[in-house]
Amino acid sequence: MKNLTLMLVLATVTVAAVSCGPKKENKKEETKKEEAPKALVLYYSQTSNTKAVAQEIATRLGADMEEIVAVNPYDGDFQATIERSMQEREQGITPEIQPIKADIAEYEVVFIGYPIWFGTYAPPVATFLNQVDLGGKKVVPFCTFGSGGLDSSMRDLVAAEPDAKVLPGYGVRAARLEAMPKEIDQFLKANGFIEGEFVQLEAFPEQHPVSEEEAAIFDAAVGDYPMIHAQAKTVASRTLPNGTEYLFTAVDLPREDNPNMPPAGEMQVYVTVVEGEAPVFTQVIR
Ligand SMILES: Cc1cc2nc3c(=O)[nH]c(=O)nc-3n(C[C@H](O)[C@H](O)[C@H](O)COP(=O)(O)O)c2cc1C
């Protein structure tokens, strides 16, 4: 039953993509030199994926960085963590965290990083958001996940901090962490945090029914990922500097291995095909 609940919860994951595209843009310094706003990078990370993103952002910006630490750390294995956090969710508990040392009032921009747990930010970040008022701040979410969750976590973040200005966020699959430094570079440039050239992707055209070849690309991209058992229905694609990005609309297939698990419906799956490499999915939005 727990496994079924987990499957369902993990299947409710959302994602959003970092855009990069063929049109090169360059955010040049305005004639009036403006001071970069003071930024703080705060993050929670259980297994260091999100920490790596936090370090990359802090290094690129020369920003202060601090870790959100649970008083009673989630230091068990994956299954133990799932069980503890499911229990806490059922009991409506968020874990106590150690006091944040940084004086948030000093910062104009707060980057907040977290792993996606059950489709949203991990519980220590929920505790932090319960304790703090980020009203008037620019808040930039970033996260790592198995398949997705940026969009859904951002909706929760906006609800938790209604007076903050929540800016576009960055999310990356744990399995694609090696792509992160380049994507962070583009993300920080595209959103005006650092100067330099970035690639602006064109919008996806309208979706069309998948061809056999496109269906094979979808299957190759998601085939090894146990949480996705779906069939691509329609797709649109756009050109990347080094390949093609596909946006598939897919539907869950019944699971022969677990007939109790009802199909969860429709999902959006981003797939990248870099020339000469196998297709990979970059995120799933449900
Ligand atoms: C309790 C728990 C729940 C998770 N839930 C999700 C989920 O809903 N969706 C998802 O894509 N990944 C999920 N994951 C995977 C993590 O988001 C992913 O491994 C992440 O990169 C871990 O980041 P960290 O190394 O910074 O802790 C979950 C992991 C754990 C431990």
Side-chain angles (χ1 to χ4, degrees), residues 8-174:
L8 286 171
V9 174
L10 294 188
T12 328
V13 169
T14 312
V15 191
V18 176
S19 304
C20 359
K23 199 172 140 211
K24 285 204 168 168
E25 302 217 346
N26 197 350
K27 283 210 170 151
K28 283 240 169 72
E29 223 176 335
E30 300 297 321
T31 33
K32 228 183 342 140
K33 188 165 170 91
E34 281 176 35
E35 282 255 322
K38 199 171 175 197
L40 173 67
V41 179
L42 274 174
Y43 72 95
Y44 170 74
S45 184
Q46 187 200 25
T47 55
S48 294
N49 295 332
T50 312
K51 181 180 183 177
V53 185
Q55 284 172 330
E56 187 69 26
I57 295 173
T59 305
R60 292 304 306 273
L61 297 180
D64 297 336
M65 182 173 85
E66 188 172 337
E67 183 176 3
I68 296 171
V69 180
V71 170
N72 174 16
Y74 293 86
D75 55 5
D77 63 12
F78 180 73
Q79 196 53 38
T81 306
I82 296 276
E83 279 170 21
R84 173 177 158 190
S85 54
M86 275 175 63
Q87 248 177 23
E88 288 176 344
R89 287 163 68 89
E90 277 161 22
Q91 294 164 359
I93 295 171
T94 55
E96 207 184 320
I97 58 169
Q98 289 179 10
I100 299 295
K101 295 183 196 83
D103 179 4
I104 309 269
E106 277 182 25
Y107 298 90
E108 196 180 318
V109 185
V110 179
F111 286 76
I112 176 128
Y114 44 83
I116 297 294
W117 285 14
F118 305 104
T120 191
Y121 35 77
V125 172
T127 307
F128 168 72
L129 294 171
N130 286 342
Q131 291 176 357
V132 76
D133 178 6
L134 297 175
K137 309 267 176 220
K138 290 177 182 154
V139 176
V140 186
F142 61 97
C143 58
T144 65
F145 41 71
S147 60
L150 176 61
D151 280 8
S152 48
S153 66
M154 281 180 69
R155 281 196 293 275
D156 292 344
L157 183 53
V158 168
E161 296 292 338
D163 298 326
K165 187 170 184 213
V166 179
L167 299 178
Y170 171 78
V172 65
R173 285 183 62 207

Side-chain angles (χ1 to χ4, degrees), residues 226-254:
M227 305 309 296
I228 305 177
H229 182 55
Q231 186 177 20
K233 293 287 181 191
T234 59
V235 67
S237 64
R238 62 185 174 186
T239 307
L240 299 176
N242 56 353
T244 306
E245 185 179 32
Y246 297 84
L247 174 55
F248 287 97
T249 301
V251 289
D252 286 294
L253 292 170

